[in-house]
Amino acid sequence: MPGSTQPLWDSLALQVESGWCPGLVAGVRIAGQTEVRAFGSLDTSGSAPVTPDTPFRISSLSKLVGGALALDLVAEGRLALDDDVSRWLPGLGGLRVLASPDAPLSVTVPIRGPVTLRHLLTFTAGFGIDFGQTPYSAATRELLWGPNPPDVDPDTYLARLTELPLAAQPGQRWMYHSGADLLSVLLWKVTGKPVSDLLAERITGPFGLTGTGFPTGSEEFPAVYQLEDGELVEAEDYRDAFSIPPRFESLAGGLVSTVPDYLAFLAAMADGVLLPETLAASMAADQLVGSQRTGFAQMAGSQESWGYMTAVQTEPGAPWSEPGMWGWAGGSGTSAAVYPNGDIGVLFTQRFMSGPQDSFDWFWEPFGNVRTTARGG
């Protein structure tokens, strides 16, 4: 690898030594060369070391894999971006829409157009997490909010979702997360195959990603912690949700992976190997227009937008970032991004983010400096 990456690894070692989390794994690709390092242990008791191949529950980094899987079906002609998904999910065809975001669930208006695949990929289908104190938020908290995958089978999930009105007209408003869960149901209905089979056939098998998929119950995961009163406490509900094969194979947050696998997946995307160049470019391009931007800006700020299941930087931001880079973060402590020149960073930790204000600058800042040095900047 050109130049020295040691300042980056020193920063990560210090983060673990500070007690921020017991262990982590990170990987980078700079100028086409990759390097992966692991630090610390699987838990606060130091029971075993973290290794480069340690499996992590990657939370919302699952969404990028879901986007690639859907677009692979588009490339094959099995789906089109503007397909009305009620063709496969009939319950979506007769939905009503809340008269206003804070209206009672009984105060609705007719839907003005179909829910499409494009809406699911861009999180503009009209349903999702409502962070406000509204009747819709209260009614959907158990069904639509993460971080655990839905604890129901896909048909039950779909039935419960279609009993509710949409919170906004399709195409009107960006709402986080659950569009990826409905995408999971759609891909199953379109192909007649479990999502795990599609993933194996189209992504993990062809690219040799042997550590990526849905939990089997045999993985030795790192413990995942959340901060409570200044102490790291294991997130037991999250642990238990991934201790057996899932009832619902969720592309919103249900995948497990390793850093080398995820780095290889992003490289296949960035290099135009996994998808046709035009579809890969559209996934990593800003797809939001008009009023759709408001919801995303409220969550992530105005310097970024949303493509197909991934964030996209649209304006100058932190010194280590660049317009045109794309990627996302997961609530269980994961982060990944691809730069316009093909450089890639991936970080898997074992500490829940406490909110959108959390950042992984202690990874991205030294990574940015290493990139600049390596390229003679």
Side-chain angles (χ1 to χ4, degrees):
M1 180 169 291
S4 173
T5 54
Q6 196 58 46
L8 170 62
W9 309 132
D10 289 345
S11 176
L12 301 190
L14 286 172
Q15 194 71 14
V16 171
E17 291 168 9
S18 74
W20 187 86
C21 72
L24 57 84
V25 182
V28 298
R29 182 175 83 163
I30 300 174
Q33 298 185 43
T34 63
E35 191 172 344
V36 177
R37 295 281 188 93
F39 301 86
S41 59
L42 293 175
D43 50 45
T44 53
S45 67
S47 63
V50 174
T51 71
D53 291 325
T54 293
F56 283 74
R57 293 151 287 201
I58 65 172
S59 192
S60 284
L61 289 188
S62 305
K63 294 177 171 67
L64 280 72
V65 181
L69 188 56
L71 291 176
D72 191 48
L73 289 170
V74 171
E76 193 179 89
R78 299 286 296 276
L79 278 169
L81 288 168
D82 293 314
D83 276 345
D84 179 350
V85 299
S86 68
R87 171 182 168 188
W88 299 277
L89 310 174
L92 292 175
L95 293 179
R96 301 215 18 119
V97 181
L98 289 178
S100 65
D102 57 353
L105 299 186
S106 59
V107 181
T108 63
V109 297
I111 194 169
R112 292 200 292 259
V115 174
T116 67
L117 174 61
R118 188 188 304 272
H119 292 144
L120 297 183
L121 293 172
T122 58
F123 288 164
T124 59
F127 68 95
I129 295 177
D130 181 352
F131 293 103
Q133 301 298 315
T134 66
Y136 181 85
S137 178
T140 58
R141 181 171 294 272
E142 180 183 351
L143 181 66
L144 301 186
W145 291 56
N148 298 354
D151 190 23
V152 294
D153 64 81
D155 280 326
T156 301
Y157 175 88
L158 182 62
R160 291 179 60 186
L161 178 68
T162 54
E163 288 172 355
L164 298 163
L166 294 179
Q169 293 286 348
Q172 181 181 32
R173 177 183 174 191
W174 187 91
M175 299 181 73
Y176 188 50
H177 185 66
S178 45
D181 275 333
L182 189 57
L183 176 70
S184 308
V185 183
L186 175 66
L187 298 185
W188 167 52
K189 295 291 188 180
V190 168
T191 64
K193 297 179 179 180
V195 177
S196 52
D197 287 355
L198 291 174
L199 190 63
E201 290 174 6
R202 294 174 176 270
I203 295 180
T204 60
F207 292 95
L209 309 184
T210 58
T212 301
F214 294 99
T216 65
S218 63
E219 295 88 356
E220 187 177 11
F221 293 121
V224 174
Y225 297 91
Q226 52 198 12
L227 195 65
E228 295 182 6
D229 299 323
E231 300 289 334
L232 291 179
V233 178
E234 187 174 3
E236 295 180 354
D237 288 348
Y238 192 68
R239 176 199 66 198
D240 294 346
F242 284 80
S243 64
I244 58 176
R247 298 175 68 186
F248 187 111
E249 294 181 336
S250 167
L251 294 167
L255 289 176
V256 304
S257 189
T258 66
V259 165
D261 268 18
Y262 206 82
L263 193 60
F265 160 69
L266 292 180
M269 289 288 292
D271 298 343
V273 177
L274 198 158
L275 293 174
E277 184 176 348
T278 54
L279 283 177
S282 67
M283 179 172 171
D286 180 10
Q287 298 292 339
L288 301 185
V289 297
S291 63
Q292 297 173 352
R293 297 181 181 276
T294 302
F296 185 82
Q298 289 172 343
M299 181 174 176
S302 61
Q303 297 163 345
E304 296 180 71
S305 190
W306 195 254
Y308 294 141
M309 291 288 170
T310 180
V312 181
Q313 186 156 339
T314 55
E315 299 178 11
W320 48 262
S321 67
E322 295 178 19
M325 69 183 296
W326 55 276
W328 196 227
S332 61
T334 58
S335 184
V338 179
Y339 286 79
N341 66 359
D343 289 349
I344 303 169
V346 177
L347 174 69
F348 290 179
T349 82
Q350 57 196 127
R351 172 170 159 169
F352 264 108
M353 300 172 69
S354 60
Q357 72 279 4
D358 272 1
S359 75
F360 297 103
D361 285 354
W362 44 269
F363 170 72
W364 292 108
E365 286 180 2
F367 177 49
N369 293 336
V370 167
R371 291 181 63 243
T372 300
T373 302
R375 294 180 177 277

